[in-house]
Amino acid sequence: MVWSVVETAPVGASGLLISTAIDHFLSHDVLPAAGALTALLVAALVGAAATRRLFPWMAAVIEPVRDAFVIALVEGVLADAVNSARPPDLASVARLTEQVQTVREVLHALLRIIRQIVFASVAALVGLSLLAPLVALISGGLVLAAMALFAWLLPGLAARHKAVLLAEEEVAQRAGTAFSGVRDAIACAGEHRVIAGVDQAVDEQRRRARALARATAARTLVVFVGGQLPVVVLLASAPSLLHRGYLSLGELAGAVTYLTVGLEPALRKMLEVLATWGLEMAVSITRLGEGFAEPAGTPATSPAPDAYDLEVDGLTFAYGPHATPVVQDLHCTVPEGSHLVVVGPSGIGKSTLAGLLTGLLTAQRGRVLLGGADIGGVDQRELRRFVALIPQEAYVFAGTFRENLTYLAPRATEAEITEALEAVGLRPVTDRLGGIDTRVGAGGADLSQGERQLVALARVYLSPARLVILDEATSGLDPETEAKAEAAFARRPGTLIVIAHRISSARRADQVLLLDGCTARFGTHDQLAAASALYADLVGNWDHERGRPLTYSGNKGEKDAGC
């Protein structure tokens, strides 16, 4: 506020000083006239210095606002992805990148331009009131009329801005769907239909943008009424005002200066910014708010479980009402502290089962009990603290190793971090790259897929999670490192479930769950190798790939844990 007032000092003083200089020049008083012009120059220098001091204060406002929008939008998208059965919202990328950046840029423009404009307009009207009260009264009335006209046009402009924004999101949604399904479209000879759908969205976006441009052009009338009409009225009445002595020639020049240099450009720029950036920001904020996470409802009454044994009771899940169940009538029990490995052919539903066991997917029938409590009734925040799923695609965030490792355990000690590094085999990687305070990810050291998986493993090892599911989370590791990581989690307090990448994981487990379509078989590695032809084939194929002789033990004594 203080620096804004100082910045607009040249505008407020310009008309008065010019009027003084002209009147003194007409009276042949050169020194006072030169002094007035010198004062105007000094005021301009002071205003420039104030402008320079303003930018750090504006940045202190703008950047936290941008960060808050990013956090709120990401939380909303994640909450919707976890809690909703709808397909992923591909337009959220447009909101996160374009709309948040729009809010940031427009907020900067509003603070930089509108603030300057408002202060300059007030300074011009104050100076004009001191110089020529009658002219100030007429000009102020016309400015109010112009603002009333703009307020009348504003709702229509806002509606057209939102229509353009929604059309842009539709383009992003259709294009994202087309790109993600391009192979299916080509396989079904539907590429022309997909292209036509994207073209239709682009044409609609262009049509709405043109309608907005036509509506925005109406602001020229507002600028004329508030900024140019006062000048016309003043110049038209100038002969009468001069003749009757209401104004001197210098005061007339000063009044014209206030109107043409201060008021009219300020009003024109203010309307231009409000009619474009201001409306764009208002609509973007409204649209972004629609993507924020819904307020939390009544929290679940079930507290976090005291035990971490897992019981699956009649679990059935399909990806659609008419789809064949991926998991059907599954029953099994995993005692706390045990180590279960899930195996089966690719695409049989192992990752789906992982989603069901962690509560990320909701079964059509059956229950998943953790410590005797249905996971659907456990408070979600507590559930996510004590249940961890590590997928095959390991996530490493931009930052240091330490920040990545302590993401789920912010109070971890140095000793605990070191233990986690040693346990999963990440220590050689951190030592090679310079320690746990080395930056990784964007702007830091590049990590291989296996190294990223080690980071994800160490992160969960350090966390308070007591039910850990590794969904092919060691696929990028060599067998020796994989064995070390699995052994570390098996020794760790809690329950371990491994979606196997290699059959060697099954040899290390207490129990093995074999998924085979609607049938699920449960037993030890040796029991399944002797009882299941499918399991024997999986073992044999793996041994063949490792250069070992194939083994096959027949198909007898199967223990059915499924349908």
Side-chain angles (χ1 to χ4, degrees):
M1 179 70 70
V2 172
W3 289 116
S4 296
V5 172
V6 176
E7 183 189 35
T8 53
V11 176
S14 60
L16 290 168
L17 293 174
I18 287 175
S19 172
T20 301
I22 290 177
D23 285 340
H24 280 294
F25 274 126
L26 292 175
S27 302
H28 304 289
D29 296 330
V30 178
L31 288 178
L37 294 179
T38 301
L40 183 60
L41 177 60
V42 171
L45 294 174
V46 171
T51 301
R52 184 175 181 273
R53 298 296 298 271
L54 274 164
F55 281 91
W57 292 101
M58 288 192 290
V61 173
I62 295 166
E63 300 308 325
V65 170
R66 188 272 311 272
D67 295 344
F69 269 106
V70 169
I71 291 170
L73 182 59
V74 170
E75 286 179 346
V77 172
L78 290 177
D80 185 68
V82 171
N83 299 323
S84 172
R86 295 190 301 268
D89 182 7
L90 299 177
S92 61
V93 176
R95 291 199 294 276
L96 183 61
T97 54
E98 296 179 12
Q99 295 176 23
V100 170
Q101 185 63 16
T102 294
V103 170
R104 178 182 180 272
E105 292 175 353
V106 173
L107 180 58
H108 175 260
L110 291 178
L111 283 177
R112 180 173 56 87
I113 297 176
I114 295 298
R115 172 198 52 75
Q116 188 179 39
I117 288 169
V118 169
F119 278 88
S121 301
V122 171
L125 288 173
V126 170
L128 189 59
S129 300
L130 296 175
L131 185 66
L134 179 62
V135 177
L137 182 63
I138 295 172
S139 300
L142 291 174
V143 168
L144 290 176
M147 297 309 295
L149 177 60
F150 180 67
W152 180 72
L153 294 172
L154 206 55
L157 288 172
R160 286 179 171 82
H161 261 288
K162 185 166 186 179
V164 170
L165 201 64
L166 293 176
E168 290 174 351
E169 288 188 14
E170 180 66 17
V171 170
Q173 178 74 31
R174 292 203 183 188
T177 303
F179 293 148
S180 62
V182 63
R183 290 189 300 176
D184 294 336
I186 294 174
C188 299
E191 60 266 32
H192 296 295
R193 181 176 179 180
V194 172
I195 293 172
V198 176
D199 281 345
Q200 181 182 359
V202 172
D203 289 341
E204 179 64 16
Q205 191 269 342
R206 182 170 58 244
R207 185 188 67 79
R208 294 184 182 183
R210 287 176 174 171
L212 174 62
R214 288 192 295 269
T216 303
R219 70 171 183 263
T220 55
L221 177 62
V222 179
V223 175
F224 172 76
V225 172
Q228 296 167 355
L229 188 57
V231 179
V232 173
V233 172
L234 176 60
L235 294 179
S237 58
S240 175
L241 295 174
L242 291 171
H243 178 72
R244 297 182 181 182
Y246 289 116
L247 291 177
S248 67
L249 190 59
E251 290 171 339
L252 176 63
V256 171
T257 299
Y258 277 126
L259 293 176
T260 57
V261 177
L263 187 61
E264 191 273 341
L267 182 64
R268 173 163 37 84
K269 182 161 279 191
M270 179 172 67
L271 293 176
E272 178 183 346
V273 171
L274 288 177
T276 53
W277 295 349
L279 280 176
E280 191 173 355
M281 181 170 120
V283 172
S284 295
I285 287 176
T286 302
R287 184 60 180 150
L288 286 170
E290 295 170 357
F292 291 169
E294 292 292 330
T298 303
T301 56
S302 299
D306 296 326
Y308 298 97
D309 55 294
L310 194 68
E311 181 181 352
V312 178
D313 180 21
L315 201 62
T316 299
F317 176 83
Y319 281 100
H322 305 294
T324 301
V326 180
V327 177
Q328 183 168 333
D329 197 27
L330 177 64
H331 299 266
C332 70
T333 300
V334 185
E336 182 177 357
S338 62
H339 176 188
L340 172 71
V341 166
V342 181
V343 298
S346 178
I348 205 66
K350 300 187 295 295
S351 293
T352 300
L353 178 60
L356 291 167
L357 297 181
T358 53
L360 297 177
L361 295 175
T362 303
Q364 281 83 16
R365 293 195 308 273
R367 298 183 302 166
V368 176
L369 303 176
L370 182 63
D374 192 325
I375 62 171
V378 178
D379 180 80
Q380 286 295 303
R381 289 186 179 274
E382 290 297 310
L383 184 65
R384 298 304 157 214
R385 284 185 62 208
F386 296 107
V387 175
L389 169 65
I390 308 180
Q392 182 177 3
E393 183 64 32
Y395 295 97
V396 174
F397 308 105
T400 64
F401 275 116
R402 183 189 301 275
E403 290 168 335
N404 271 278
L405 296 177
T406 59
Y407 178 71
L408 301 176
R411 297 182 178 85
T413 64
E414 290 294 328
E416 290 170 336
I417 295 173
T418 301
E419 179 190 353
L421 295 175
E422 295 284 359
V424 304
L426 181 61
R427 182 65 177 269
V429 179
T430 58
D431 289 345
R432 174 172 57 85
L433 295 176
I436 63 171
D437 291 313
T438 301
R439 288 189 62 83
V440 293
D446 290 330
L447 300 179
S448 67
Q449 179 189 0
E451 291 168 343
R452 290 196 301 271
Q453 288 183 337
L454 287 175
V455 172
L457 290 166
R459 178 191 297 138
V460 173
Y461 186 92
L462 199 58
S463 76
R466 289 298 174 262
L467 171 61
V468 176
I469 299 181
L470 309 183
D471 186 3
E472 299 194 6
T474 57
S475 60
L477 305 180
D478 60 79
E480 182 180 350
T481 307
E482 177 186 59
K484 181 176 182 178
E486 287 184 8
F489 276 95
R491 293 191 304 268
R492 187 174 175 272
T495 305
L496 174 64
I497 298 177
V498 178
I499 309 297
H501 171 69
R502 300 181 178 97
I503 207 68
S504 56
S505 295
R507 289 193 170 101
R508 292 187 288 267
D510 301 328
Q511 297 287 324
V512 178
L513 175 62
L514 172 65
L515 297 182
D516 180 14
C518 71
T519 302
R521 296 177 175 85
F522 191 75
T524 66
H525 168 73
D526 292 336
Q527 289 172 343
L528 290 178
S532 170
L534 173 61
Y535 190 80
D537 285 341
L538 292 173
V539 173
N541 287 334
W542 185 84
D543 283 342
H544 178 66
E545 291 172 1
R546 294 291 303 268
R548 298 175 182 174
L550 292 174
T551 58
Y552 179 73
S553 302
N555 184 22
K556 55 184 179 178
E558 295 179 347
K559 181 180 180 182
D560 192 350
C563 58

